[in-house]
Amino acid sequence: MEIDESCRVLPFQLQFDKPLASQIKIAEWNPEKDLLAMVTDDSKILLHRFNWQRLWTISPGRCITSLCWRPDGKAIAVGLEDGTLSLHDVENGKLLRSLKSHCASVICLNWEEDSHLITDDCGHTSKYEDRTSRFFPPAPRVPRMPGLVSGDNGFMDDGEDSFQELSNSSHQRFNILCSGDKDGNICFSIFGIFPVGKVNIHNLIFPASCDGAETTHQLLNASIHKVALSKDLCRLIVMCSGDLVEVGVHMAGLNEHGLHCLALDTSIFWNRKNELHQVAQQASNIEDLTEVVRTSLSVMCRQWSDAMHTFQEKFSSLSTLIIDHGFDSSPQEEFLSLLGGARTGPAVHQFLVNTLGEVGVKRISKVLCGAGKELQRIVLDHLQPAAEVIVFRMGELRGLSRWRARYHGIGLDESLINNATEKAGMLLVQVERFMRVLSSVVQQYSNFFNWLLKCIKLLMSEPSDQLLPYNSELVIIFLKFLYEQDPVKQLLEISETDYDVEIDLETMQRVRELVQFGGFSDTEYLRRTLAKEFQQMEFSFKEAFQMPFTIISRKILCEDLLPLFPLPSLAKESSSMRIPTSVSYYEDSSRASLSHYTSQNQFVDYISFQVPDESFSDIVNCICIVRGFMHDSHCLKKGNSSLEAVLLRIPVDYQCVDLSLYKDSQIALLLNKATTTSESAGDACMMILQASDLPYVSISRSAYIDAWRLQELKDSVAYLHIGDEKARTIPHSVIAPLAVSASRGVACVFAARKRALVYILEEDEDEVSDAE
């Protein structure tokens, strides 16, 4: 189509045309700041400012399949091919959290924040206060392993000040992260941290049709393309492709492989957001503190093992010397003989004077006693404070669980929370016991080394007045019980044999007597090691928090299904077919005056997609916009339909590359002009339509849920004239994605020759100057 360039208005301003090292496959603008996050074909994440200044580049080392921003713009969620979800700090790209929510590739992400302030039953604004600051100092951070670079532990750099702000959910509005994988699973997590639900679209049974016919349908072999949670968190729209069949019987005719739109009822997030917010606040902080305990135990175990390896490596040569001198005694017996003054064996004499020496004793003493002091520091600065705050937060959850009228409905089970609270308390008891054992062991090692130094001085006939004194009884106890044993490692390390601490019968009987007084129910905690107690606590947490996950998952049901268009048979086998789609929610001015109790009716959903030419023989080169699907199931019960749609015919010499719903009910289109030769650089066009002003037509809903209704629109197609709309020509052929930011009115398109073009979609000089 030839367009008169002289009469065309060009409202877009080209800001940048920058080369790229690699082609971009995903791009998303920050919802509030002028930041653009991009994913390259080689799975690197790039963050740029509006002026194209690069802030950082990270490479997770695995294939990135999806990306989205947290609603406040301070974190980025990244979906990986192996099913992992990772959260990254926007300031520096550091990994904040890694969750294994899926077992398959994460195809799409959507992070939505509650658009209203949380209120109580009387309508007053409710603010959740983190009360731990009243009783505790700031929460401890994850300790570093000596010699490791920040972030090597895979969780968080303890030197980053942003950690507290990003992890403390008490400062965040209630928000839900939705993620969909290629196996049809959709996971929900509060704050992107606390898993709160999961559904599989293959297991959903779709409701009876509008005329009451008792027919139910199910999707098979379905793949998720996009998920979009409404701004009130009450509905989730899912666009997916698959086979729609009647339950138990495969249908024929129109019931075939195609693209479908689902509406899931997620109103529990709205109805119980007060309760979920408070539970998630406690649970997400408990998870942070649990990671502190886990890493502390790991660091302590590694440091102590290294110190003991130094000790054992040096003292193992004594056994060899004893055998070489023809004795069959043990090192302990030789040391006891030396201590008693009965004789000085040649093996011990050679070991102390020649092999070990004064320098060797001091070096080993410094390594081992230094490790003991470092373990004590980690316990006092990290492990014990974390365990104390965990107990406090579990106590708060315990109080909530007793309010059955409000919290039982979201799965906060009192008995499970009680058990988890007790296990957290038992961990504190184990920490105190560990500190006593560690202090005793370090003291005995220090006493043993002081004695060896004294012996070496005497054997070498040197004065020993400057040496520290030692206790002979402690030396005997050390040689009998500690020389070949390591109680510290036994408490820290979970062995395959599940090592149990030996407790005398009198102590166990006393514990049972205390249980009868109602102090606690666990009589076996004294037999467990510190590491095993932590394992028990983790299991009890998982069990307690699994209940809300299960209960809420059951309450997420499918409300409606709308078949959009059939897909060709080739697309059924090929998962690489890309269909441009977009879902957004716009405020309905006619309902804007309603109260917050009916806020779920204040938004209208707009669903836009390209219709493949192969789907309908009489509908070619068209895009479709459907609105009102979220409300349609309610209207059907009243005998009418609010579902409307419009077909837009793209000029014959253009093809739709990508589309995106934009602010104020607008839609941005990215079009490529057809070229006659493959060597041509090509031409493209980007344009904006006012979606709310298009000539929509009501779509009828019949008893046949599997019918394709787009054919009803073929006689009312609206023709798109590029010269009549806001448009901008691009002197390149372009490829997806089209990234649009509603906050600054900017778009980013990607030329086929690895170039990024940034446009301002509306000429606003104030915004342009501010951005620059």
Side-chain angles (χ1 to χ4, degrees), residues 425-486:
M426 291 299 102
L427 179 67
L428 269 180
V429 175
Q430 295 286 11
V431 169
E432 294 178 1
R433 178 171 70 170
F434 173 79
M435 287 293 284
R436 291 196 300 270
V437 171
L438 177 63
S439 178
S440 174
V441 168
V442 171
Q443 180 185 3
Q444 292 191 54
Y445 269 105
S446 178
N447 182 78
F448 175 67
F449 293 137
N450 290 339
W451 173 67
L452 287 184
L453 284 173
K454 189 83 170 182
C455 292
I456 292 173
K457 289 289 188 180
L458 292 173
L459 291 174
M460 299 179 67
S461 300
E462 295 181 0
S464 58
D465 296 339
Q466 302 300 321
L467 297 177
L468 295 174
Y470 66 89
N471 187 308
S472 300
E473 293 182 2
L474 288 182
V475 173
I476 295 174
I477 294 174
F478 174 85
L479 292 173
K480 286 188 174 182
F481 300 105
L482 286 181
Y483 186 83
E484 292 185 343
Q485 297 182 24
D486 189 354

Side-chain angles (χ1 to χ4, degrees), residues 308 311-320 322 330-336 348 351-352 356 368 441 444-445 448-449 451-452 474-487:
M308 288 302 299
F311 170 78
Q312 294 164 357
E313 184 181 38
K314 201 66 176 178
F315 277 75
S316 62
S317 60
L318 178 57
S319 300
T320 304
I322 292 174
S330 64
Q332 296 96 309
E333 292 172 340
E334 292 293 324
F335 279 132
L336 286 172
V348 173
F351 173 73
L352 294 178
L356 189 60
L368 203 144
V441 168
Q444 292 191 54
Y445 269 105
F448 175 67
F449 293 137
W451 173 67
L452 287 184
L474 288 182
V475 173
I476 295 174
I477 294 174
F478 174 85
L479 292 173
K480 286 188 174 182
F481 300 105
L482 286 181
Y483 186 83
E484 292 185 343
Q485 297 182 24
D486 189 354

Side-chain angles (χ1 to χ4, degrees), residues 1-10 673 722-724 729:
M1 174 181 292
E2 295 294 333
I3 301 174
D4 185 3
E5 295 289 341
S6 61
C7 63
R8 179 186 297 173
V9 179
L10 302 179
K673 193 170 185 179
I722 294 179
D724 298 337
T729 59

